[in-house]
Amino acid sequence: MKKLLVLLLALTMVFALAACGGQAAPAESAAPAPTESAEPAPAEGVTITLWTYPIGKWTDEATVKDLIADFNAVYPDITVQVEYLDYTNGDDKVNTAIEGGQAPDIVMEGPERLIANCGAKGLMVDLADIVPAGTYDSIIGSCTSANGEVYELPVCMIAHCMAINRDVFEAADALQYLNEETHTWNSVDDFFKAVQAVYDAGYPYVGTIYCGGQGGDQGTRALITNISGGTYANAEHTEYTYASQENAEGLARLYAQDGINFDTAIVASDEIQNFVNGTFQMAFCWNISQEVNNADALGFDVLPMAFPSDTTPSLQGGIWGFGVFNNGDDARIEAAKTFIQFMTSEEEYAKAVEATTFAPVRDVDGIYADNALFPEYSLLSPLMGDYYQITKGWTEARTEWWNMLQRVNDSDGSVESILAEMQAAQDTANAAAAAG
């Protein structure tokens, strides 16, 4: 895994991880070992459909056409028809297609949908036989069902972080509360001291708990659980555990802090724009791609940071890859697997990953070698925590989380009232988890 620490956060892009509840994934040891699989037999004269969520440039038509052209140079008789999804209506399109018996042959997304939702419903094809050798065990584990089927062939990954306006923090003498070399806070107390210092320097909007929807909600989950030392779900990924005294106390502390505001009208993308334009002085939903994509608009030095913690910080991660729907047509299934294996082959994999702007899931020499920001962000790579998005009832859990934050905003901010709101949200999410 040494190279993982060098590659994990090279060029990443944040987007809303909107997951669907269902079957939980097994522990890492349950994952099948990747093997050097044989090249699939070409499926000639077949048309397959690829639906892709906005994973970097995999929704950029020119980029995807270029990748498909590479594929068709080798497999000219397999036609790939592409539909580009977003997180506003993508789930509705997929669900409608499934209900109508017209599911796409290939979908590109994360385990939250492909494993915990579609795979748990028996809709997906097991791809264990084409997992490339060298794929990181922890990643395969998150893409594997409880019964051992690999319903997602992983392509790329990310570890989300937060960021601060270094120029403002320096002017407010708040850099003393963090370690710039490790990109970590000295302590949770020092995080709050830094926020207070920036607030006292004349910045009323230091950080914002956005809760207008589920977009980018991994940031608020990571912020609260890291501050409190609490958890969000159990290690078995069978139930949610965030309704704890520790988490309630952490959220109450944020509620009471000058410069930390709740906003029920915005999501992470809005927070990012307010950070980039200098209205907010920190962002809780950040990664290297945000800095790259907003380079022309940024008028200050961005300092990426782990979330504040009194132990080892735990960053929320993301994984994306290909899944194949079982549409009952062996020729289309074989063609879909042929396409996936080509995109993850030694010859094409680096290009496919760079199109995602995320990090690879196995060692790849020279990828993102020209990325000047890479050394800074890569320091946060080892802090990627448990991939709890595959916990059952994920769709309901995400909705309950941001609704809970909205209710906390309307509460008196006491630990007791916050814990009651957390408990109500958790009970609903766990009911969904229990229902499978």
Side-chain angles (χ1 to χ4, degrees), residues 97-113:
I98 292 172
E99 292 170 2
Q102 300 293 324
D105 296 295
I106 306 172
V107 63
M108 190 175 189
E109 184 37 11
E112 309 89 86
R113 288 180 175 81

Side-chain angles (χ1 to χ4, degrees), residues 54 145 400:
S145 76
E400 288 300 318

Side-chain angles (χ1 to χ4, degrees), residues 18-20 23 51 53 55 94 106-125 127 142-145 149-154 319-325 390:
C20 297
Q23 187 82 14
W51 290 13
Y53 281 84
I55 304 166
V94 172
I106 306 172
V107 63
M108 190 175 189
E109 184 37 11
E112 309 89 86
R113 288 180 175 81
L114 303 188
I115 308 302
N117 183 17
C118 298
K121 295 176 181 177
L123 302 173
M124 310 301 291
V125 173
L127 303 177
S142 296
C143 294
T144 304
S145 76
E149 300 95 349
V150 178
Y151 288 136
E152 174 175 334
L153 197 146
I319 302 169
W320 297 275
F322 296 114
V324 175
F325 277 97
I390 51 178

Side-chain angles (χ1 to χ4, degrees), residues 169 174 176-178 184-197 226-229 249-250 253-254 257-258 260 282 307-311:
F169 271 65
Q176 62 178 305
Y177 300 116
L178 56 88
T184 57
W185 300 91
N186 297 337
S187 66
V188 170
D189 284 346
D190 275 0
F191 166 77
F192 284 101
K193 290 177 182 177
V195 172
Q196 188 67 50
N226 274 277
I227 283 176
S228 66
E249 290 175 356
R253 194 170 181 183
L254 287 164
Q257 175 61 51
D258 292 335
I260 297 294
M282 60 174 58
F307 290 94
S309 174
D310 284 330
T311 57

Side-chain angles (χ1 to χ4, degrees), residues 42-74:
E44 298 181 354
V46 178
T47 296
I48 58 175
T49 52
L50 165 66
W51 290 13
T52 174
Y53 281 84
I55 304 166
K57 292 185 177 181
W58 272 86
T59 48
D60 176 71
E61 186 174 7
T63 299
V64 175
K65 280 186 174 181
D66 186 39
L67 290 164
I68 291 176
D70 291 348
F71 173 71
N72 284 143
V74 179

